[in-house]
Amino acid sequence: MAAAPKPEEISHPPMDQLQGLEYCIDSNPSWGEAIALGFQHYILALGTAVMIPSFLVPLMGGNDDDKVRVVQTLLFVGGINTLLQTLFGTRLPTVIGGSWAFMVPIISIIHDSSLERITDPHVRFLNTMRAIQGALIVASSVQIILGYSQLWAICSRFFSPLGMVPVISLVGFGLLDRGFPVVGRCVEIGIPMFILFVAFSQYLKHFQTKQIPVLERFALLISVTVIWAYAHLLTASGAYKHRPELTQRNCRTDKANLISSAPWIKIPYPLQWGAPTFDAGHAFGMMSAVLVSLIESTGAYKAASRLASATPPPAHVLSRGIGWQGNSEHYLHRYLSQYLQLFIALSSVGLSFLQFTNMNSMRNLFITGVSLFLGLSIPEYFREYTSASLHGPAHTRAGWFNDFLNTIFMSSPTVALIVAVFLDNTLDYKDSARDRGMPWWVKFRTFKGDSRNEEFYTLPFNLNRFFPPS
């Protein structure tokens, strides 16, 4: 008769750090490898930097040249803000990339009657861009105030591992409508890309060249190169010659007109579209997107710390990073910070925080289930309603109010945070600290709570003597 399994053979003990990571926050790869990895992250950031302007610029009256200029500006400013965030913000390996949170208020500005009356498309584009910039400048003050005043640090004290699980997970899962539905627009390109990426990063990850797991580490870069060559071959061979226009736009490699319209060198500069214009309604609507990006970034920072084998960022470090994000909005656009190759990774990392909680507790099961369900269901309702009615469920005469509610409730992480944090801090919270994971979590709230925080989050150039951590 076989012996009964030991307790340690049945379950895995909670671990502060993930297993199987090649690099941590303090690792220093070679210059060659660092450049290759950096270019791979650039390719990832290129996706949203192209997709967002490709959708918005034509609505604003812009042409291909205008679209290229916006893409170049997003990439350039994103690089600067990434450098600033990693040096003076959270100091986590986060890449500043495009955020969809700003789509609702920006589209509302585009359809403002005063702008739609402009007959010249280029003039309308310039005036719309100035209005968007003005709204962003005013709205960014919300993050600057919440961040640098440490108000967000105070708010974060109501967070727990249980409350953060749905928030972090839905930063990834909440984009399910941009997952396979986007792949399905060109299945002969999208599915091979996905299969190739999984094969390289998972099944062939032990293949090494000079002791470097090349296929695993550069899976995205290799997959994009192979699939783009495949897509170009299909385009050049005439495979899409008689296909519908929509299929050609999604599958052909010569329809975007980005490379042909782009100058070899273009340095963005302040006021390149003219002086920003300011409107109170536009600014109030944009503030909702700023709040959404703040919440999504909070989840992304928590996930990034785990992926980088760092401790969860202390409250004042988290708030400092949010403040720096507000600074970045003063130029053109705010992007969701992330250090991930796929949103799938972010979703899974969020679920890993459950190991620090008691999932045999009906209270915890209820909070997790309800927040995940509503975090997916409510935004889906808002999206379907908007798609059918061409306006959101909030449709009053006050446009800024409509933008505020529609933006907030179209964000899965924001809905999840509202539900999870409320329930977690009102349902038997006094007697459930251990079940919520607070004994593990509380030591990371302050800078001195864990000796490793100094290694991960101390500012460079001895700046901590001027800005002492709390």
Side-chain angles (χ1 to χ4, degrees):
M1 184 176 180
K6 299 178 181 178
E8 59 269 21
E9 296 175 340
I10 299 175
S11 61
H12 298 278
M15 300 183 67
D16 286 352
Q17 297 178 327
L18 297 176
Q19 295 178 312
L21 294 176
E22 292 289 335
Y23 290 130
C24 68
I25 193 171
D26 291 328
S27 299
N28 292 307
S30 65
W31 275 105
E33 192 174 352
I35 292 172
L37 287 170
F39 184 72
Q40 182 168 253
H41 284 296
Y42 167 80
I43 294 295
L44 182 63
L46 190 63
T48 48
V50 170
M51 289 173 68
I52 293 175
S54 296
F55 176 76
L56 291 176
V57 171
L59 297 178
M60 298 161 64
N63 54 28
D64 288 337
D65 291 338
D66 296 319
K67 181 167 61 177
V68 167
R69 197 172 178 184
V70 174
V71 170
Q72 290 173 321
T73 302
L74 297 186
L75 290 171
F76 182 79
V77 178
I80 293 175
N81 290 328
T82 296
L83 182 63
L84 293 174
Q85 184 65 241
T86 52
L87 279 176
F88 307 113
T90 60
R91 292 185 56 76
L92 289 167
T94 52
V95 176
I96 306 299
S99 172
W100 295 93
F102 292 83
M103 295 293 280
V104 171
I106 287 178
I107 291 175
S108 180
I109 293 174
I110 291 172
H111 293 300
D112 188 287
S113 58
S114 63
L115 295 170
E116 286 189 318
R117 284 197 294 266
I118 301 174
T119 55
D120 186 294
H122 185 64
V123 175
R124 179 159 61 89
F125 168 77
L126 293 177
N127 280 270
T128 304
M129 184 63 76
R130 293 167 188 167
I132 293 171
Q133 285 182 306
L136 283 168
I137 289 173
V138 176
S140 66
S141 62
V142 173
Q143 279 192 328
I144 292 174
I145 293 171
L146 288 176
Y148 291 136
S149 69
Q150 294 295 309
L151 284 174
W152 190 241
I154 296 173
C155 295
S156 70
R157 295 182 183 276
F158 293 96
F159 302 162
S160 71
L162 182 70
M164 282 292 99
V165 166
V167 179
I168 300 172
S169 297
L170 291 186
V171 172
F173 288 143
L175 293 173
L176 56 88
D177 61 314
R178 300 184 187 98
F180 201 84
V182 175
V183 173
R185 295 175 186 174
C186 188
V187 291
E188 60 265 41
I189 303 297
I191 291 180
M193 171 68 190
F194 179 75
I195 293 174
L196 205 60
F197 178 80
V198 172
F200 286 154
S201 64
Q202 302 301 319
Y203 289 98
L204 300 175
K205 62 184 178 182
H206 298 298
F207 176 83
Q208 295 189 350
T209 300
K210 295 182 179 180
Q211 297 184 333
I212 297 177
V214 176
L215 294 182
E216 179 194 24
R217 196 159 296 171
F218 302 104
L220 181 65
L221 187 59
I222 297 172
S223 300
V224 168
T225 302
V226 171
I227 295 301
W228 193 91
Y230 164 63
H232 186 69
L233 181 63
L234 290 178
T235 299
S237 65
Y240 301 112
K241 192 172 183 179
H242 303 293
R243 301 290 293 276
E245 178 62 26
L246 182 61
T247 301
Q248 293 194 40
R249 191 162 65 247
N250 288 321
C251 298
R252 291 181 69 103
T253 59
D254 58 358
K255 281 289 185 179
N257 297 324
L258 290 176
I259 297 177
S260 59
S261 302
W264 282 101
I265 299 176
K266 178 68 177 179
I267 305 297
Y269 54 90
L271 306 181
Q272 60 182 332
W273 290 291
T277 58
F278 300 93
D279 179 273
H282 296 166
F284 277 115
M286 196 68 73
M287 285 180 184
S288 60
V290 169
L291 290 173
V292 167
S293 72
L294 181 153
I295 291 169
E296 292 180 348
S297 295
T298 297
Y301 287 142
K302 299 287 187 183
S305 66
R306 192 147 176 75
L307 285 167
S309 296
T311 57
H316 87 280
V317 172
L318 181 64
S319 201
R320 186 175 73 197
I322 294 300
W324 273 100
Q325 284 184 190
N327 290 341
S328 69
E329 282 168 348
H330 274 99
Y331 189 71
L332 175 70
H333 210 49
R334 225 298 294 154
Y335 313 99
L336 171 64
S337 298
Q338 56 189 348
Y339 173 68
L340 305 161
Q341 290 186 344
L342 290 173
F343 283 111
I344 296 171
L346 186 57
S347 306
S348 303
V349 169
L351 294 175
S352 74
F353 279 93
L354 287 174
Q355 67 180 304
F356 306 110
T357 68
N358 178 14
M359 292 313 292
N360 291 314
S361 164
M362 289 302 300
R363 171 193 179 277
N364 288 2
L365 291 172
F366 174 78
I367 293 173
T368 304
V370 168
S371 55
L372 284 171
F373 178 78
L374 293 181
L376 289 170
S377 182
I378 292 177
E380 182 62 20
Y381 164 73
F382 271 71
R383 283 191 291 265
E384 288 185 359
Y385 191 104
T386 302
S387 178
S389 306
L390 300 181
H391 60 76
H395 187 58
T396 66
R397 293 184 179 180
W400 65 270
F401 179 77
N402 301 336
D403 292 344
F404 198 93
L405 287 186
N406 291 330
T407 301
I408 291 292
F409 289 105
M410 275 190 182
S411 167
S412 290
T414 304
V415 173
L417 181 123
I418 294 171
V419 175
V421 173
F422 175 78
L423 292 176
D424 193 34
N425 287 276
T426 56
L427 284 179
D428 302 324
Y429 70 97
K430 290 184 178 179
D431 301 322
S432 58
R434 185 178 178 186
D435 288 349
R436 299 164 63 202
M438 295 308 293
W440 173 80
W441 184 264
V442 71
K443 63 181 178 180
F444 301 119
R445 283 180 172 177
T446 61
F447 190 80
K448 297 181 180 179
D450 190 285
S451 59
R452 293 169 292 178
N453 288 339
E454 183 175 357
E455 174 189 356
F456 301 141
Y457 301 113
T458 297
L459 289 172
F461 315 122
N462 204 21
L463 290 176
N464 270 47
R465 60 180 176 175
F466 302 109
F467 305 99
S470 57

